[in-house]
Amino acid sequence: MAVQWPLLIFSVLLGASSGVMIFLGIGEIKGSFKKVRFPLSLIALILLAVGGCASAMHLGHIDRALYILGNVGSAFSRELFAVGFTGLMTLVYVILARKDYPAASKVFGILAAIGGLLLPLIAGASYMMPARPAWDSFALPLMYLGTGIGMGFVLSAAYVYTKGDEADKPFSMKLATIGIICSIAVTLIYVIWIAIAPFPDPTRSFMRLAGGDLAAAFWLGVVLVGMGGPIAVLVMAKRVSLVDEDGKSGADDVVVASTDASGTATAEPAVGAAASKISTANALWGALACLVVGSVILRVIMYVVATSVEQLIY
């Protein structure tokens, strides 16, 4: 099957947007991320809007969306309603976060997070059909959700380390770790499904990924970059964070002796702490890039292996 790029872009962006809102919803429950909740929720809203525009391009004409709304029982109609609900809750949350209404922000932040949790599942479930065995499993919606959580959590943690409060950084790193684990786990689950899906055929077999025409994309894009890359970057980021927390490179604790032009000894603060903080943020942005690349290539494979079972069509 040909890769449907507008829908692929839509699925990646809606996943990342949903992940960000789930991250912020958890933060609302815990009372964290107040400094970054407005810019992060705005980023989530923009990602969802751009993804929705990409999805509309797949229709050819925007007015065709009206036909989808007319069939409320269809999977695509449910997906459109889920996008609308999540987008509306996120918009209200953006406004409330900007105006600083703590109680209302908590309510709508949690509602937006619920929408973010359901949207990838609903979008992924719209592809499930017996005629395409590689899609006919709940492993596909799980893949949409898990990779979205990975991208959204890491994006949010990277922003926290770049612009957020110091107290929020350890918790954001824990959520980023959970996000990466979720992304890797659902990727493995979906690949396993491709291997065990009914009506086996060379066009949709695991051997096509392992040693066939999709091997380079799978091993380099999905396994090495999409799975191995975030793990390696996360280990690096955690090591830098531990060094900073232990004070081994803290600017307030370490001084460097120097001598001025008159020969008088002076002490200057070290810049190790600032450097380590910057490195942690950059490491998380790097992990996000790896997750995006892996998610895109995994979806490309999803389309390529989605060949039909002829006996279920004719």
Side-chain angles (χ1 to χ4, degrees):
M1 181 178 181
V3 178
Q4 305 298 311
W5 284 103
L7 295 180
L8 187 153
I9 293 171
F10 170 59
S11 70
V12 171
L13 294 182
L14 81 83
S17 173
S18 296
V20 171
M21 289 314 303
I22 295 171
F23 181 96
L24 290 174
I26 294 173
E28 287 293 341
I29 294 173
K30 189 176 172 59
S32 304
F33 313 133
K34 293 183 179 180
K35 184 176 180 180
V36 298
R37 63 185 181 180
F38 171 71
L40 276 178
S41 59
L42 184 60
I43 290 172
L45 185 62
I46 293 172
L47 289 174
L48 187 59
V50 174
C53 292
S55 177
M57 290 174 59
H58 179 72
L59 298 174
H61 297 279
I62 304 300
D63 57 343
R64 291 178 180 173
L66 299 177
Y67 297 109
I68 297 176
L69 290 174
N71 184 7
V72 294
S74 70
F76 295 108
S77 180
R78 291 193 294 270
E79 180 182 311
L80 193 56
F81 282 122
V83 170
F85 172 80
T86 306
L88 179 60
M89 294 301 102
T90 303
L91 175 61
V92 174
Y93 181 75
V94 169
I95 296 171
L96 292 173
R98 182 64 172 175
K99 297 298 183 179
D100 194 22
Y101 295 101
S105 293
K106 187 171 185 177
V107 171
F108 281 94
I110 294 173
L111 287 174
I114 292 173
L117 185 65
L118 295 177
L119 177 55
L121 295 175
I122 294 172
S126 66
Y127 287 88
M128 294 172 59
M129 57 188 74
R132 300 188 185 274
W135 289 356
D136 195 29
S137 168
F138 201 69
L140 180 56
L142 280 180
M143 183 267 282
Y144 270 35
L145 175 62
T147 54
I149 288 176
M151 290 184 289
F153 279 22
V154 173
L155 186 159
S156 301
Y159 196 89
V160 170
Y161 267 85
T162 303
K163 296 289 187 178
D165 290 327
E166 196 72 28
D168 289 334
K169 292 179 180 179
F171 184 52
S172 72
M173 181 64 78
K174 290 179 181 178
L175 291 180
T177 303
I178 292 172
I180 290 173
I181 292 172
C182 285
S183 182
I184 293 173
V186 297
T187 298
L188 291 174
I189 290 171
Y190 184 64
V191 171
I192 291 172
W193 170 252
I194 294 175
I196 66 173
F199 308 103
D201 186 86
T203 61
R204 51 182 177 271
S205 69
F206 175 73
M207 293 310 300
R208 191 177 178 190
L209 278 62
D213 61 316
L214 296 176
F218 176 68
W219 291 112
L220 295 179
V222 176
V223 176
L224 182 62
V225 177
M227 298 171 67
I231 293 176
V233 173
L234 183 65
V235 171
M236 181 195 313
K238 284 195 169 186
R239 284 181 177 177
V240 173
S241 296
L242 287 174
V243 169
D244 186 45
E245 289 172 6
D246 291 341
K248 294 178 181 177
S249 57
D252 295 332
D253 302 322
V254 180
V255 295
V256 178
S258 63
T259 305
D260 59 17
S262 63
T264 303
T266 60
E268 300 176 356
V271 295
S276 66
K277 293 174 185 176
I278 294 173
S279 297
T280 303
N282 287 343
L284 288 168
W285 289 118
L288 173 62
C290 291
L291 288 169
V292 171
V293 170
S295 296
V296 170
I297 296 178
L298 182 61
R299 284 162 172 78
V300 169
I301 292 174
M302 179 198 91
Y303 278 105
V304 175
V305 300
T307 53
S308 299
V309 180
E310 293 182 357
Q311 59 264 40
L312 297 182
I313 299 176
Y314 301 106

